[in-house]
Amino acid sequence: MQVFLGIMIVLGSVFGGFAMMGGAFHQIWQPIELIVIAGAGAGAIVIGNPKHVLAEMGAQLKKVVVRKKYDSEFQRQLLLLMYELLQLAAGGLKALDAHVEAPKDSPLFQRYPLVLEESKLLAFIVDNFRLMAMGKINAHELEGVLEQELEAIHEEMNQPAKSIGKIGEAMPGFGILAAVLGIVITMSTVSEGATSGEIAEHVGAAMVGTFIGIFLCYGVLDPISNVMKQLVNQEASNKECVKVVLVTHVAGKPPLLAIDAGRRLVALNVKPSFAQLERWINELEGRDSEPDAGSGSRRGGGRAKAA
């Protein structure tokens, strides 16, 4: 909804202002100029990016239109999932095998559908629990491995936004290209005996190409590139949260402290308080204790120790 509101503001301001100045819309409706500019930009994107970047670009553009919000419910599910996984890991990392090998079939993961929908985040979680289960790794080593992985992921995920940004910067140039082609056509009409009015009409049509290029740059592609970067940063923040939880756990801290360390990296607008986090965990342990009092007692004892 916010994206469409922004589009309406931009279009209303630009074209509404044009109409208020006495302009007629048929004067700037030049579909051939638009085809030249947009087609050149689309072709440049295809030339300049490998197939997997184009696929990721399409996925991110879809998220721009249907913007996914990482709200407090998503953060609740992520933190509680990590808490349950750490509780299982306390009994030996082998206990996690049934869950991390097939997370979509795991009853534990199925309790957190919002996390299951995030395929890249889900892969990051299960891969690193597998890493921890493969052998001894200290907190410093794990932190170094995860930092390198996150840096590589972030760089790759930012490629679509960078490509959109570069094409946006090139749009005024493509607009000038279309305008030059229009001037060439105008000059040919001069030799055919065109009147001054006809020449002026052709020149005006050619100048629309420059307008379209500048408009696509600053009114369309630059904002889209910025939104894509923000979405990538939000996804990176979730992975950073998971990284801190895992590193803190490997350092020997109790599950509650490890989860709280991850909570501190959540974006401020959806960041739960420590009291809220503890309430979520109390509700989780109360639910789990109903069918199995012994299991609930074990979980509750871990929380009390952490506190």
Side-chain angles (χ1 to χ4, degrees):
M1 183 64 183
Q2 182 178 339
V3 173
F4 292 108
L5 176 61
I7 291 173
M8 294 304 296
I9 293 173
V10 171
L11 293 178
S13 300
V14 173
F15 295 103
F18 175 72
M20 291 171 66
M21 290 187 290
F25 287 112
H26 74 270
Q27 295 173 323
I28 56 175
W29 174 243
Q30 303 294 333
I32 297 177
E33 299 263 349
L34 183 60
I35 290 173
V36 171
I37 298 167
I45 288 177
V46 173
I47 293 171
N49 295 279
K51 187 180 294 185
H52 72 276
V53 174
L54 294 176
E56 179 61 30
M57 186 182 297
Q60 291 188 17
L61 287 173
K62 183 178 179 181
K63 290 181 180 180
V64 169
V65 177
V66 186
R67 189 175 299 187
K68 181 176 180 60
K69 294 183 179 180
Y70 294 105
D71 55 13
S72 59
E73 174 59 20
F74 177 88
Q75 301 303 333
R76 185 190 72 84
Q77 293 194 19
L78 176 60
L79 292 172
L80 290 184
L81 171 63
M82 294 303 297
Y83 181 80
E84 289 207 67
L85 290 172
L86 293 186
Q87 289 283 22
L88 284 175
L93 290 171
K94 291 298 182 183
L96 292 171
D97 285 350
H99 301 285
V100 299
E101 291 301 326
K104 292 187 181 296
D105 298 327
S106 164
L108 189 155
F109 280 91
Q110 288 174 358
R111 289 203 290 268
Y112 306 104
L114 294 181
V115 180
L116 273 179
E117 292 175 3
E118 297 295 313
S119 57
K120 295 183 179 66
L121 177 62
L122 183 64
F124 183 77
I125 293 172
V126 299
D127 285 352
N128 285 295
F129 270 103
R130 288 193 191 104
L131 173 65
M132 292 164 55
M134 289 173 62
K136 292 184 177 180
I137 182 170
N138 61 44
H140 179 71
E141 292 171 337
L142 180 62
E143 184 175 17
V145 169
L146 295 185
E147 282 182 354
Q148 290 179 345
E149 182 180 5
L150 287 176
E151 184 177 351
I153 292 173
H154 194 262
E155 179 65 25
E156 184 172 346
M157 294 291 289
N158 264 326
Q159 285 303 316
K162 290 180 179 179
S163 296
I164 293 290
K166 286 184 177 295
I167 293 302
E169 293 173 358
M171 276 296 148
F174 288 133
I176 293 172
L177 174 65
V180 169
L181 294 176
I183 294 299
V184 170
I185 295 174
T186 302
M187 292 299 101
S188 68
T189 63
V190 173
S191 63
E192 296 172 358
T195 65
S196 59
E198 292 173 335
I199 294 173
E201 184 177 347
H202 282 292
V203 171
M207 294 303 295
V208 170
T210 304
F211 160 74
I212 292 174
I214 296 173
F215 177 77
L216 289 178
C217 172
Y218 297 107
V220 179
L221 295 180
D222 187 61
I224 288 176
S225 174
N226 188 49
V227 172
M228 290 168 68
K229 289 177 183 177
Q230 292 177 12
L231 292 175
V232 169
N233 288 337
Q234 288 175 1
E235 293 185 18
S237 175
N238 295 327
K239 295 183 181 71
E240 285 283 351
C241 173
V242 172
K243 181 200 82 172
V244 170
V245 169
L246 294 177
V247 170
T248 307
H249 169 72
V250 172
K253 303 300 181 183
L256 181 57
L257 293 184
I259 299 301
D260 182 59
R263 175 191 68 86
R264 296 172 186 273
L265 272 72
V266 173
L268 289 176
N269 61 315
V270 292
K271 181 179 180 179
S273 65
F274 179 81
Q276 189 174 17
L277 173 63
E278 193 171 27
R279 184 170 64 253
W280 289 342
I281 292 175
N282 288 338
E283 292 172 355
L284 173 69
E285 291 175 340
R287 181 195 67 195
D288 287 349
S289 66
E290 291 175 1
D292 185 352
S295 172
S297 176
R298 177 180 64 80
R299 291 175 182 264
R303 185 186 64 80
K305 183 179 177 181

